[in-house]
Amino acid sequence: QVQLVESGGGLVAAGASLRLSCVASGGAFGTYTVAWFRQAAGKEREFVGGISWSSGILSYPSTVKGRFTIFRENAKNTVYLQMNNLKPEDTAVYHCAATKAWIIRSSSDAYDFWGQGTQVTVSS
């Protein structure tokens, strides 16, 4: 079973950048699809991007495309979420999630393993 740990969140001003990390351990030797989700207070969980470790296919929703980038360093079992031009509406708890499946999906129920989350707060 794989364990996921996120880090890199914090409090930043609008227009700043953050890079979040998702480190996998405890069984991450196969092929995993990894996605990032966020949930703001009082709002539904939202898919913000995904990456296939086997093929390098990327997927982003229109709300973040052009500002957020997902990339990986497989030798370190790490997936990153690079967030640029942050806006106050990006404020949320960000989670990474993983599945052994090879297809990137935007539904949270498609993912089997979840990290603890990291808070991102963007001031006005």
Side-chain angles (χ1 to χ4, degrees):
Q1 183 172 322
V2 64
Q3 291 82 48
L4 306 174
V5 178
E6 305 97 331
S7 63
L11 173 63
V12 299
S17 297
L18 282 174
R19 180 177 293 178
L20 306 184
S21 299
C22 175
V23 179
S25 63
F29 301 113
T31 300
Y32 288 92
T33 294
V34 177
W36 287 91
F37 292 83
R38 68 186 182 187
Q39 187 162 20
K43 296 185 178 180
E44 296 180 341
R45 185 182 294 110
E46 179 186 17
F47 173 79
V48 295
I51 185 168
S52 171
W53 288 18
S54 63
S55 67
I57 294 173
L58 303 171
S59 180
Y60 304 98
S62 60
T63 50
V64 304
K65 191 173 184 179
R67 297 191 299 120
F68 290 10
T69 302
I70 294 175
F71 62 99
R72 67 192 181 195
E73 294 186 18
N74 285 341
K76 297 181 179 180
N77 290 328
T78 301
V79 172
Y80 301 94
L81 177 64
Q82 178 69 44
M83 304 185 292
N84 297 325
N85 301 314
L86 283 163
K87 305 176 184 297
E89 49 264 42
D90 295 318
T91 295
V93 176
Y94 285 71
H95 292 264
C96 64
T99 177
K100 193 70 172 180
W102 294 331
I103 300 174
I104 301 170
R105 294 180 57 189
S106 60
S107 298
S108 60
D109 59 8
Y111 298 88
D112 304 305
F113 308 103
W114 292 78
Q116 83 288 348
T118 185
Q119 176 71 46
V120 172
T121 302
V122 184
S123 63
S124 301

